[in-house]
Amino acid sequence: MKNRISRRTFLRNSTVAAVAAPPIFFNRPRPVAAALSPSERVTMGCIGVGYMGKLNTFGFNQMRDVCDIAAICDVDSKYGLESTLANKELGTKRDDTITPPDAYKEYQRILDRKDIDAVCISTVDHWHTKIAIEALQAGKHVFCEKPLTLTLEENQLIRKACKKYPNLVFGVDTWQRSRKDLFMTAVLMVQHGFLGKLTNIVCNLGPGLTSEPVPEAPVPDSLDWNLWQGPVPTTAYRHNFIESHGKQVEQTRAHDKFRWWYEYSGGKFTDWGAHNIDIALWALGLQTRGTGPVSIDGTHTTHPVPFKDGYPTVNDRYNTCVDFDIPVAFDDGFVMHVVSSSSDGNGGILFEGEKGKIHVNRMRIKGKPYEELPPNTFKEEEYIKLYGGKPVEGHKYNFTRCIRQGGLPASDVETHLLTMNVCHVCAIAARLGRKVQWDPKTESIVGDEQAATFATRERRKEFEIHV
């Protein structure tokens, strides 16, 4: 126990030589320095190892120079645990021997382990906040998949918890912030006036997904359906396959299809809004508390099922918004549009100003102002400043660096929660099909009692959040 205590103290308080990153999730590599000793590395537990969970787990596993994967957790023994453990390279490597991570169904087993320094949370969205808060309470650093929260109330709960544990690092996986060649360059172009005064921003999130009626089905033996649902109201498990364009397409309430049900997600608004709205607000410099829009108009939106008073009237098919054009208005009269499609193609952000326009997505930047940008216009120091004072590297490396050296990750909780305010109000306005007024100073919906009721949700007994 004595060795573990000194090790954890080192990870929280010491400053060590910079360790660089191989390409993780489209992030450019940095020159690799010597690996840290086993006692200096971050020992991690990965909670939720479904689709995104596997990507995050294997991403951290590639970083053996700075961290070790000691445990994984999932409520589905087949879809999550078995398929993840099938990768024989996963685990803690010493010399030529790899020790596989321990596998659990209950995430509390990971939080109880004193040897684990940090957790990566990649569960379905409606579990993020509860697990993250309990991880902080257990003394763990937290790396959480976006979107961090399911409701506006959860934004406040996360903020309250982080205030209680200021020495713990909390990073959010909005990795577009680590793309120096794309999104960071676009942000610097806006902030340095290469587009002139901004006249328009369009955040393209892509259209939502529809489904045929999804019938009730037996719960697979491998899945703990009650635990998967956790804090949200219980409902029947639904699953089937349909043929589409000559292929068998899965439809379900579970696993990666959760984002098409408002019960578990905010649909495209929180899924892709957490990325693209975040970049837009970053460029605008509107990521300090008290800033944000004053109204969000959900009039021009389409859902795949009928709604009444903001709730779907049928429960057997995907229900999140599929088509939308939502004006997001600020107090100076500027309007940003959050859309499901645009002439620039699905995905990405259009920045338009008096001197021209650029469009950036995960593949490229295009637009005359960018094409005419002289080489090396932005010095490395400017990227470092935008990145919170740390070397620009892979998102996961940035997280582990902050554990070793202190400081905020490139995607910190405060800026993310301000983005989530916009994402959640977009979803609320779309569900009600009307304009909703927002007070960025009090972070609350004003003048609409019905809309304000969507700020929180009742949680099932035994799944409450205590801060």
Side-chain angles (χ1 to χ4, degrees), residues 177-208:
R177 281 179 167 247
S178 294
R179 283 304 301 268
K180 176 181 176 181
D181 56 331
L182 296 174
F183 298 98
M184 293 181 73
T185 295
V187 168
L188 287 176
M189 288 186 68
V190 172
Q191 294 184 351
H192 284 257
F194 282 89
L195 305 183
K197 182 180 179 181
L198 283 184
T199 57
N200 187 32
I201 294 180
V202 178
C203 294
N204 189 327
L205 312 185

Side-chain angles (χ1 to χ4, degrees), residues 72-100:
I72 63 173
C73 164
D74 202 278
V75 298
D76 193 320
S77 61
K78 183 176 181 181
Y79 176 85
L81 298 178
E82 290 179 14
S83 59
T84 303
L85 291 171
N87 186 326
K88 300 305 179 183
E89 293 296 313
L90 180 65
T92 301
K93 187 175 183 178
R94 297 289 182 267
D95 298 323
D96 293 326
T97 302
I98 296 177
T99 303

Side-chain angles (χ1 to χ4, degrees), residues 207-410:
L209 193 65
T210 62
S211 72
E212 300 295 325
V214 186
E216 294 186 14
V219 178
D221 292 339
S222 64
L223 173 64
D224 188 326
W225 179 234
N226 179 64
L227 196 54
W228 188 95
Q229 294 175 97
V232 303
T234 57
T235 188
Y237 177 78
R238 294 181 179 272
H239 183 276
N240 73 338
F241 285 92
I242 61 169
E243 186 171 330
S244 177
H245 303 290
K247 297 181 179 180
Q248 290 293 302
V249 176
E250 184 183 37
Q251 300 183 142
T252 181
R253 286 193 78 102
H255 298 321
D256 63 316
K257 303 301 189 299
F258 75 90
R259 60 180 48 84
W260 310 122
W261 306 83
Y262 274 132
E263 292 87 334
Y264 318 122
S265 172
K268 279 285 187 173
F269 301 118
T270 53
D271 183 32
W272 273 83
H275 286 300
N276 290 349
I277 293 173
D278 173 61
I279 298 298
L281 295 178
W282 197 16
L284 288 170
L286 296 177
Q287 294 200 307
T288 56
R289 201 178 302 187
T291 65
V294 294
S295 72
I296 294 177
D297 191 346
T299 303
H300 302 292
T301 56
T302 303
H303 285 84
V305 298
F307 270 62
K308 182 179 180 181
D309 296 327
Y311 292 92
T313 58
V314 297
N315 66 356
D316 66 349
R317 65 200 75 185
Y318 302 161
N319 58 38
T320 57
C321 194
V322 290
D323 295 305
F324 46 90
D325 185 342
I326 297 184
V328 178
F330 298 84
D331 60 2
D332 61 357
F334 183 81
V335 177
M336 174 176 75
H337 284 263
V338 176
V339 304
S340 56
S341 62
S342 68
S343 59
D344 294 293
N346 290 334
I349 309 103
L350 171 73
F351 295 102
E352 188 170 8
E354 294 174 338
K355 296 181 182 179
K357 61 184 179 180
I358 59 172
H359 183 270
V360 58
N361 61 24
R362 294 181 175 185
M363 302 300 294
R364 50 92 186 117
I365 305 178
K366 68 176 184 179
K368 190 175 180 181
Y370 174 73
E371 293 157 6
E372 295 179 345
L373 201 67
N376 302 315
T377 296
F378 302 118
K379 305 303 181 185
E380 187 67 23
E381 292 75 16
E382 292 174 283
Y383 287 104
I384 290 173
K385 181 179 179 181
L386 186 65
Y387 207 62
K390 297 286 195 296
V392 181
E393 57 191 347
H395 223 52
K396 293 175 174 60
Y397 268 91
N398 174 255
F399 171 68
T400 60
R401 181 185 293 276
C402 290
I403 292 176
R404 300 192 311 273
Q405 299 179 352
L408 292 175

Side-chain angles (χ1 to χ4, degrees), residues 26-92:
F26 308 102
N27 293 323
R28 286 190 170 184
R30 289 172 50 81
V32 178
L36 299 178
S37 68
S39 65
E40 296 169 341
R41 296 177 201 169
V42 177
T43 299
M44 296 197 64
C46 296
I47 300 174
V49 288
Y51 174 71
M52 277 306 304
K54 285 181 179 63
L55 294 178
N56 285 331
T57 300
F58 297 150
F60 276 114
N61 193 60
Q62 292 178 32
M63 297 164 48
R64 286 202 171 105
D65 50 347
V66 295
C67 72
D68 296 311
I69 306 296
I72 63 173
C73 164
D74 202 278
V75 298
D76 193 320
S77 61
K78 183 176 181 181
Y79 176 85
L81 298 178
E82 290 179 14
S83 59
T84 303
L85 291 171
N87 186 326
K88 300 305 179 183
E89 293 296 313
L90 180 65
T92 301

